[in-house]
Amino acid sequence: MTHHPTQSPQFFLTAPSPCPYIEGQFERKVFTHLVGDKAPELNDLLTQGGFRRSQNIAYRPACESCRACISVRILAGEFKPTKNMRRVSQRNADLIGALHDAEPSTEQYSLFRSYLDHRHRKGGMSDMTVLDYAMMVEDTHVTTKIIEYRKRGPDTFITGKGVGELIAVALTDQMSDGLSMVYSYFNPELEDRSLGTFMILDHIARARAAGLPHVYLGYWVNGSRKMNYKVRFTPQEHLGPKGWERYDHEAVTP
């Protein structure tokens, strides 16, 4: 009898480390490698099961005493923007997002560096070099794209010229059932534009146009104020013990 080797992924557990979101808590993660021809299919299954991708690693929280991290996905087809979100879209009507292959550039890194220095000076990514950034973008075995947001030029749709400076960037995985926002950053001096919100709204529009039902936002951490923005995009689903369940906005603790 011929023996066929299994292709099941191997999972590993990290050592405890201080939680970046909830003071006094410690986090652990379970992770596996996303490599080879089956990586896109595996990434789909794992993302639907609450994992996130970072380069060629898929991971999810496996903390011993805390379950605050909850996977969130927006129901793109049912989404209805709030009045404030419509104002954000209008405020950024002069921007255009161009889809590119996952290739880094010095212009991207310059914006990325400015974003980290202003927003995450003490974060785990604060010391990332240009090589680290290139690895974050390029080290993928799944269908990953870069969306660059620039000011719309007078002849953008004719010659491709006339576009302005790079204002925001999203690193996004294209999956069978939606778009997964891996990482996004923007010009921190343009706070009045609410560019983080705008990029999520743009991804919802892109998912709907492609007939994809979901936009995956990663983890919402109940109790972390800087994560509260994720639950404003409703309707959405949260992954719990019974699987993906529709989220009730009224049930959130302020």
Side-chain angles (χ1 to χ4, degrees), residues 3 5 37 43-44 49 58 63 75 119 132 136 144 151 157 162 174 176 184 189 195 215 218 229 237 253-254:
H3 174 70
D37 295 340
N43 186 50
D44 276 17
C63 306
L75 297 173
R119 290 294 190 98
D132 295 327
M136 182 179 80
T144 304
K151 280 195 174 181
F157 295 106
Q174 295 181 341
S176 62
S184 59
E189 296 180 357
L195 290 165
V215 173
Y229 73 92
E237 292 179 328
T253 302

PDB file of all heavy atoms in Angstrom, residues 3 5 37 43-44 49 58 63 75 119 132 136 144 151 157 162 174 176 184 189 195 215 218 229 237 253-254:
ATOM      1  N   HIS A   3       2.005   4.948   0.761  1.00  0.00           N
ATOM      2  CA  HIS A   3       1.778   5.910   1.843  1.00  0.00           C
ATOM      3  C   HIS A   3       1.897   7.327   1.296  1.00  0.00           C
ATOM      4  O   HIS A   3       2.888   7.681   0.656  1.00  0.00           O
ATOM      5  CB  HIS A   3       2.811   5.716   2.962  1.00  0.00           C
ATOM      6  CG  HIS A   3       2.722   6.767   4.033  1.00  0.00           C
ATOM      7  ND1 HIS A   3       1.673   6.844   4.907  1.00  0.00           N
ATOM      8  CD2 HIS A   3       3.572   7.793   4.342  1.00  0.00           C
ATOM      9  CE1 HIS A   3       1.857   7.866   5.724  1.00  0.00           C
ATOM     10  NE2 HIS A   3       3.007   8.457   5.399  1.00  0.00           N
ATOM     11  N   PRO A   5       2.120  11.242   2.333  1.00  0.00           N
ATOM     12  CA  PRO A   5       2.350  12.102   3.483  1.00  0.00           C
ATOM     13  C   PRO A   5       1.214  13.102   3.657  1.00  0.00           C
ATOM     14  O   PRO A   5       0.634  13.582   2.698  1.00  0.00           O
ATOM     15  CB  PRO A   5       3.660  12.834   3.136  1.00  0.00           C
ATOM     16  CG  PRO A   5       3.750  12.774   1.644  1.00  0.00           C
ATOM     17  CD  PRO A   5       3.103  11.467   1.253  1.00  0.00           C
ATOM     18  N   ASP A  37       1.770  25.615  -2.121  1.00  0.00           N
ATOM     19  CA  ASP A  37       0.631  25.797  -3.022  1.00  0.00           C
ATOM     20  C   ASP A  37      -0.708  25.873  -2.303  1.00  0.00           C
ATOM     21  O   ASP A  37      -1.667  26.453  -2.818  1.00  0.00           O
ATOM     22  CB  ASP A  37       0.592  24.656  -4.046  1.00  0.00           C
ATOM     23  CG  ASP A  37       1.800  24.653  -4.977  1.00  0.00           C
ATOM     24  OD1 ASP A  37       2.458  25.719  -5.083  1.00  0.00           O
ATOM     25  OD2 ASP A  37       2.105  23.601  -5.577  1.00  0.00           O
ATOM     26  N   ASN A  43      -5.142  29.732   4.284  1.00  0.00           N
ATOM     27  CA  ASN A  43      -5.368  31.070   4.828  1.00  0.00           C
ATOM     28  C   ASN A  43      -6.862  31.383   4.903  1.00  0.00           C
ATOM     29  O   ASN A  43      -7.331  31.984   5.877  1.00  0.00           O
ATOM     30  CB  ASN A  43      -4.659  32.115   3.961  1.00  0.00           C
ATOM     31  CG  ASN A  43      -4.724  33.509   4.545  1.00  0.00           C
ATOM     32  OD1 ASN A  43      -4.426  33.728   5.711  1.00  0.00           O
ATOM     33  ND2 ASN A  43      -5.117  34.479   3.725  1.00  0.00           N
ATOM     34  N   ASP A  44      -7.612  30.981   3.887  1.00  0.00           N
ATOM     35  CA  ASP A  44      -9.060  31.156   3.915  1.00  0.00           C
ATOM     36  C   ASP A  44      -9.673  30.453   5.128  1.00  0.00           C
ATOM     37  O   ASP A  44     -10.438  31.046   5.897  1.00  0.00           O
ATOM     38  CB  ASP A  44      -9.683  30.591   2.639  1.00  0.00           C
ATOM     39  CG  ASP A  44      -9.652  31.576   1.479  1.00  0.00           C
ATOM     40  OD1 ASP A  44      -8.872  32.546   1.557  1.00  0.00           O
ATOM     41  OD2 ASP A  44     -10.388  31.355   0.503  1.00  0.00           O
ATOM     42  N   GLY A  49     -11.627  30.896  10.708  1.00  0.00           N
ATOM     43  CA  GLY A  49     -11.593  30.329  12.053  1.00  0.00           C
ATOM     44  C   GLY A  49     -10.972  31.258  13.082  1.00  0.00           C
ATOM     45  O   GLY A  49     -10.662  30.822  14.195  1.00  0.00           O
ATOM     46  N   ALA A  58       0.278  32.418  10.221  1.00  0.00           N
ATOM     47  CA  ALA A  58      -1.109  32.624  10.635  1.00  0.00           C
ATOM     48  C   ALA A  58      -1.174  32.379  12.140  1.00  0.00           C
ATOM     49  O   ALA A  58      -0.645  31.385  12.636  1.00  0.00           O
ATOM     50  CB  ALA A  58      -2.047  31.668   9.906  1.00  0.00           C
ATOM     51  N   CYS A  63      -4.706  32.882  24.900  1.00  0.00           N
ATOM     52  CA  CYS A  63      -4.392  33.338  26.251  1.00  0.00           C
ATOM     53  C   CYS A  63      -5.083  32.458  27.290  1.00  0.00           C
ATOM     54  O   CYS A  63      -6.207  31.992  27.081  1.00  0.00           O
ATOM     55  CB  CYS A  63      -4.816  34.790  26.417  1.00  0.00           C
ATOM     56  SG  CYS A  63      -4.121  35.887  25.148  1.00  0.00           S
ATOM     57  N   LEU A  75     -20.402  42.540   7.438  1.00  0.00           N
ATOM     58  CA  LEU A  75     -21.290  41.982   6.413  1.00  0.00           C
ATOM     59  C   LEU A  75     -21.442  43.044   5.327  1.00  0.00           C
ATOM     60  O   LEU A  75     -22.303  43.925   5.400  1.00  0.00           O
ATOM     61  CB  LEU A  75     -22.638  41.613   7.021  1.00  0.00           C
ATOM     62  CG  LEU A  75     -22.581  40.519   8.106  1.00  0.00           C
ATOM     63  CD1 LEU A  75     -23.936  40.345   8.773  1.00  0.00           C
ATOM     64  CD2 LEU A  75     -22.109  39.197   7.500  1.00  0.00           C
ATOM     65  N   ARG A 119       2.140  57.599  15.740  1.00  0.00           N
ATOM     66  CA  ARG A 119       1.034  56.856  16.342  1.00  0.00           C
ATOM     67  C   ARG A 119       1.472  55.704  17.245  1.00  0.00           C
ATOM     68  O   ARG A 119       0.757  55.337  18.172  1.00  0.00           O
ATOM     69  CB  ARG A 119       0.140  56.290  15.233  1.00  0.00           C
ATOM     70  CG  ARG A 119      -0.663  57.323  14.458  1.00  0.00           C
ATOM     71  CD  ARG A 119      -1.691  57.989  15.362  1.00  0.00           C
ATOM     72  NE  ARG A 119      -2.627  58.819  14.632  1.00  0.00           N
ATOM     73  CZ  ARG A 119      -3.858  58.435  14.262  1.00  0.00           C
ATOM     74  NH1 ARG A 119      -4.275  57.222  14.528  1.00  0.00           N
ATOM     75  NH2 ARG A 119      -4.643  59.283  13.630  1.00  0.00           N
ATOM     76  N   ASP A 132      12.642  45.268   7.098  1.00  0.00           N
ATOM     77  CA  ASP A 132      11.514  44.673   7.816  1.00  0.00           C
ATOM     78  C   ASP A 132      10.204  44.991   7.102  1.00  0.00           C
ATOM     79  O   ASP A 132       9.321  44.136   6.976  1.00  0.00           O
ATOM     80  CB  ASP A 132      11.449  45.204   9.250  1.00  0.00           C
ATOM     81  CG  ASP A 132      12.641  44.799  10.097  1.00  0.00           C
ATOM     82  OD1 ASP A 132      13.169  43.694   9.877  1.00  0.00           O
ATOM     83  OD2 ASP A 132      13.038  45.599  10.968  1.00  0.00           O
ATOM     84  N   MET A 136       7.427  42.480   5.414  1.00  0.00           N
ATOM     85  CA  MET A 136       6.008  42.506   5.781  1.00  0.00           C
ATOM     86  C   MET A 136       5.119  42.486   4.540  1.00  0.00           C
ATOM     87  O   MET A 136       4.075  41.838   4.514  1.00  0.00           O
ATOM     88  CB  MET A 136       5.714  43.755   6.624  1.00  0.00           C
ATOM     89  CG  MET A 136       4.271  43.847   7.094  1.00  0.00           C
ATOM     90  SD  MET A 136       3.919  45.304   8.121  1.00  0.00           S
ATOM     91  CE  MET A 136       3.733  46.572   6.856  1.00  0.00           C
ATOM     92  N   THR A 144      -2.120  38.646  -2.069  1.00  0.00           N
ATOM     93  CA  THR A 144      -2.021  39.879  -1.296  1.00  0.00           C
ATOM     94  C   THR A 144      -1.826  41.064  -2.237  1.00  0.00           C
ATOM     95  O   THR A 144      -1.066  40.981  -3.193  1.00  0.00           O
ATOM     96  CB  THR A 144      -0.848  39.804  -0.301  1.00  0.00           C
ATOM     97  OG1 THR A 144      -1.018  38.653   0.535  1.00  0.00           O
ATOM     98  CG2 THR A 144      -0.781  41.051   0.565  1.00  0.00           C
ATOM     99  N   LYS A 151      -4.228  61.629  -3.978  1.00  0.00           N
ATOM    100  CA  LYS A 151      -5.176  62.636  -4.445  1.00  0.00           C
ATOM    101  C   LYS A 151      -5.470  62.413  -5.923  1.00  0.00           C
ATOM    102  O   LYS A 151      -4.566  62.125  -6.704  1.00  0.00           O
ATOM    103  CB  LYS A 151      -4.634  64.044  -4.221  1.00  0.00           C
ATOM    104  CG  LYS A 151      -4.791  64.534  -2.797  1.00  0.00           C
ATOM    105  CD  LYS A 151      -4.578  66.029  -2.708  1.00  0.00           C
ATOM    106  CE  LYS A 151      -4.874  66.531  -1.304  1.00  0.00           C
ATOM    107  NZ  LYS A 151      -4.696  67.990  -1.203  1.00  0.00           N
ATOM    108  N   PHE A 157      -7.841  59.188 -14.796  1.00  0.00           N
ATOM    109  CA  PHE A 157      -8.462  58.066 -15.504  1.00  0.00           C
ATOM    110  C   PHE A 157      -8.106  58.044 -16.996  1.00  0.00           C
ATOM    111  O   PHE A 157      -8.534  57.163 -17.726  1.00  0.00           O
ATOM    112  CB  PHE A 157      -9.981  58.120 -15.333  1.00  0.00           C
ATOM    113  CG  PHE A 157     -10.420  57.933 -13.919  1.00  0.00           C
ATOM    114  CD1 PHE A 157     -10.885  58.998 -13.167  1.00  0.00           C
ATOM    115  CD2 PHE A 157     -10.347  56.677 -13.316  1.00  0.00           C
ATOM    116  CE1 PHE A 157     -11.284  58.822 -11.847  1.00  0.00           C
ATOM    117  CE2 PHE A 157     -10.747  56.490 -12.004  1.00  0.00           C
ATOM    118  CZ  PHE A 157     -11.214  57.562 -11.269  1.00  0.00           C
ATOM    119  N   GLY A 162      -0.899  63.006 -12.996  1.00  0.00           N
ATOM    120  CA  GLY A 162      -1.622  64.029 -12.264  1.00  0.00           C
ATOM    121  C   GLY A 162      -2.044  63.607 -10.874  1.00  0.00           C
ATOM    122  O   GLY A 162      -2.784  64.318 -10.210  1.00  0.00           O
ATOM    123  N   GLN A 174      -6.765  38.983  -0.545  1.00  0.00           N
ATOM    124  CA  GLN A 174      -7.989  38.656  -1.269  1.00  0.00           C
ATOM    125  C   GLN A 174      -8.322  37.187  -1.017  1.00  0.00           C
ATOM    126  O   GLN A 174      -7.544  36.297  -1.349  1.00  0.00           O
ATOM    127  CB  GLN A 174      -7.798  38.920  -2.762  1.00  0.00           C
ATOM    128  CG  GLN A 174      -7.583  40.386  -3.092  1.00  0.00           C
ATOM    129  CD  GLN A 174      -7.429  40.638  -4.582  1.00  0.00           C
ATOM    130  OE1 GLN A 174      -7.145  39.731  -5.352  1.00  0.00           O
ATOM    131  NE2 GLN A 174      -7.598  41.892  -4.989  1.00  0.00           N
ATOM    132  N   SER A 176     -11.522  33.937  -0.682  1.00  0.00           N
ATOM    133  CA  SER A 176     -12.677  33.435  -1.425  1.00  0.00           C
ATOM    134  C   SER A 176     -13.980  34.046  -0.935  1.00  0.00           C
ATOM    135  O   SER A 176     -14.953  34.127  -1.694  1.00  0.00           O
ATOM    136  CB  SER A 176     -12.756  31.901  -1.302  1.00  0.00           C
ATOM    137  OG  SER A 176     -12.928  31.522   0.057  1.00  0.00           O
ATOM    138  N   SER A 184      -2.847  48.638   7.725  1.00  0.00           N
ATOM    139  CA  SER A 184      -3.049  49.900   6.997  1.00  0.00           C
ATOM    140  C   SER A 184      -2.405  51.032   7.780  1.00  0.00           C
ATOM    141  O   SER A 184      -2.264  50.966   9.000  1.00  0.00           O
ATOM    142  CB  SER A 184      -4.545  50.174   6.783  1.00  0.00           C
ATOM    143  OG  SER A 184      -5.241  50.246   8.009  1.00  0.00           O
ATOM    144  N   GLU A 189      -0.693  63.458   9.888  1.00  0.00           N
ATOM    145  CA  GLU A 189      -0.976  64.889   9.992  1.00  0.00           C
ATOM    146  C   GLU A 189      -2.333  65.253   9.404  1.00  0.00           C
ATOM    147  O   GLU A 189      -2.784  66.395   9.547  1.00  0.00           O
ATOM    148  CB  GLU A 189       0.128  65.684   9.292  1.00  0.00           C
ATOM    149  CG  GLU A 189       1.506  65.514   9.948  1.00  0.00           C
ATOM    150  CD  GLU A 189       2.581  66.312   9.243  1.00  0.00           C
ATOM    151  OE1 GLU A 189       2.256  66.955   8.220  1.00  0.00           O
ATOM    152  OE2 GLU A 189       3.736  66.296   9.715  1.00  0.00           O
ATOM    153  N   LEU A 195      -8.749  58.925   7.910  1.00  0.00           N
ATOM    154  CA  LEU A 195      -8.318  58.019   6.842  1.00  0.00           C
ATOM    155  C   LEU A 195      -8.476  56.548   7.203  1.00  0.00           C
ATOM    156  O   LEU A 195      -8.715  55.712   6.324  1.00  0.00           O
ATOM    157  CB  LEU A 195      -6.865  58.331   6.461  1.00  0.00           C
ATOM    158  CG  LEU A 195      -6.683  59.663   5.722  1.00  0.00           C
ATOM    159  CD1 LEU A 195      -5.218  60.076   5.704  1.00  0.00           C
ATOM    160  CD2 LEU A 195      -7.221  59.559   4.301  1.00  0.00           C
ATOM    161  N   VAL A 215     -15.703  41.681   5.002  1.00  0.00           N
ATOM    162  CA  VAL A 215     -14.443  42.400   5.185  1.00  0.00           C
ATOM    163  C   VAL A 215     -13.955  42.059   6.586  1.00  0.00           C
ATOM    164  O   VAL A 215     -14.623  42.362   7.582  1.00  0.00           O
ATOM    165  CB  VAL A 215     -14.605  43.925   5.040  1.00  0.00           C
ATOM    166  CG1 VAL A 215     -13.286  44.632   5.406  1.00  0.00           C
ATOM    167  CG2 VAL A 215     -15.018  44.287   3.621  1.00  0.00           C
ATOM    168  N   GLY A 218      -9.836  41.771  11.672  1.00  0.00           N
ATOM    169  CA  GLY A 218      -8.940  41.293  12.723  1.00  0.00           C
ATOM    170  C   GLY A 218      -9.660  41.232  14.049  1.00  0.00           C
ATOM    171  O   GLY A 218     -10.839  40.868  14.115  1.00  0.00           O
ATOM    172  N   TYR A 229     -13.207  51.473  17.407  1.00  0.00           N
ATOM    173  CA  TYR A 229     -13.652  51.889  16.072  1.00  0.00           C
ATOM    174  C   TYR A 229     -14.160  50.716  15.247  1.00  0.00           C
ATOM    175  O   TYR A 229     -15.004  50.874  14.358  1.00  0.00           O
ATOM    176  CB  TYR A 229     -12.510  52.594  15.335  1.00  0.00           C
ATOM    177  CG  TYR A 229     -11.408  51.679  14.858  1.00  0.00           C
ATOM    178  CD1 TYR A 229     -11.437  51.131  13.580  1.00  0.00           C
ATOM    179  CD2 TYR A 229     -10.337  51.342  15.683  1.00  0.00           C
ATOM    180  CE1 TYR A 229     -10.442  50.283  13.133  1.00  0.00           C
ATOM    181  CE2 TYR A 229      -9.336  50.502  15.252  1.00  0.00           C
ATOM    182  CZ  TYR A 229      -9.388  49.978  13.983  1.00  0.00           C
ATOM    183  OH  TYR A 229      -8.408  49.118  13.551  1.00  0.00           O
ATOM    184  N   GLU A 237     -20.301  40.436  12.160  1.00  0.00           N
ATOM    185  CA  GLU A 237     -20.346  39.177  12.898  1.00  0.00           C
ATOM    186  C   GLU A 237     -19.098  39.050  13.759  1.00  0.00           C
ATOM    187  O   GLU A 237     -18.020  39.500  13.378  1.00  0.00           O
ATOM    188  CB  GLU A 237     -20.434  37.983  11.939  1.00  0.00           C
ATOM    189  CG  GLU A 237     -21.753  37.901  11.191  1.00  0.00           C
ATOM    190  CD  GLU A 237     -21.803  36.727  10.230  1.00  0.00           C
ATOM    191  OE1 GLU A 237     -20.753  36.346   9.685  1.00  0.00           O
ATOM    192  OE2 GLU A 237     -22.912  36.199  10.018  1.00  0.00           O
ATOM    193  N   THR A 253     -20.194  46.941  26.086  1.00  0.00           N
ATOM    194  CA  THR A 253     -19.903  47.728  27.284  1.00  0.00           C
ATOM    195  C   THR A 253     -19.200  49.011  26.878  1.00  0.00           C
ATOM    196  O   THR A 253     -18.221  48.975  26.146  1.00  0.00           O
ATOM    197  CB  THR A 253     -18.998  46.927  28.244  1.00  0.00           C
ATOM    198  OG1 THR A 253     -19.649  45.706  28.580  1.00  0.00           O
ATOM    199  CG2 THR A 253     -18.745  47.716  29.511  1.00  0.00           C
ATOM    200  N   PRO A 254     -19.669  50.180  27.310  1.00  0.00           N
ATOM    201  CA  PRO A 254     -19.036  51.431  26.904  1.00  0.00           C
ATOM    202  C   PRO A 254     -17.582  51.499  27.363  1.00  0.00           C
ATOM    203  O   PRO A 254     -17.245  50.936  28.376  1.00  0.00           O
ATOM    204  CB  PRO A 254     -19.886  52.496  27.593  1.00  0.00           C
ATOM    205  CG  PRO A 254     -21.037  51.838  28.239  1.00  0.00           C
ATOM    206  CD  PRO A 254     -20.813  50.389  28.224  1.00  0.00           C
TER     207      PRO A 254
END
